[in-house]
Amino acid sequence: MDGKSKSSVCTSVYHQFPEVKGVSPQVKTLPGDKYQLLFRTKAQTEDGKDIPRTVRVVADAEGRILKISTSR
């Protein structure tokens, strides 16, 4: 995955999930010219507690997002 494609995916994820804005993803190669990007951070609940938050994105080499899943 080149830098332009990664940047495009990150911009889309930051727009949809503002709590991960600025987090650099871990990139893994998947079979079939696909890539998995993991964004990990901590979100704050209404009562002030921190909980881990993970956004997992599967994208192709051109930067098109194929799937997004998230933890709560």
Side-chain angles (χ1 to χ4, degrees):
M1 175 174 268
D2 63 356
K4 185 176 179 183
S5 299
K6 181 179 171 185
S7 177
S8 172
V9 171
C10 289
T11 301
S12 297
V13 172
Y14 296 155
H15 181 71
Q16 190 171 355
F17 300 98
E19 65 271 10
V20 298
K21 188 170 187 170
V23 174
S24 181
Q26 294 177 344
V27 180
K28 294 182 182 180
T29 305
L30 299 176
D33 293 331
K34 296 178 187 173
Y35 296 90
Q36 177 178 309
L37 290 82
L38 287 174
F39 298 83
R40 293 180 188 216
T41 189
K42 291 186 179 180
Q44 201 168 41
T45 61
E46 291 180 8
D47 60 353
K49 294 182 180 179
D50 286 339
I51 57 171
R53 175 79 172 204
T54 303
V55 178
R56 183 175 56 112
V57 179
V58 177
D60 63 8
E62 288 80 36
R64 289 183 296 229
I65 296 175
L66 305 173
K67 183 179 179 181
I68 297 179
S69 63
T70 183
S71 67
R72 287 194 184 208

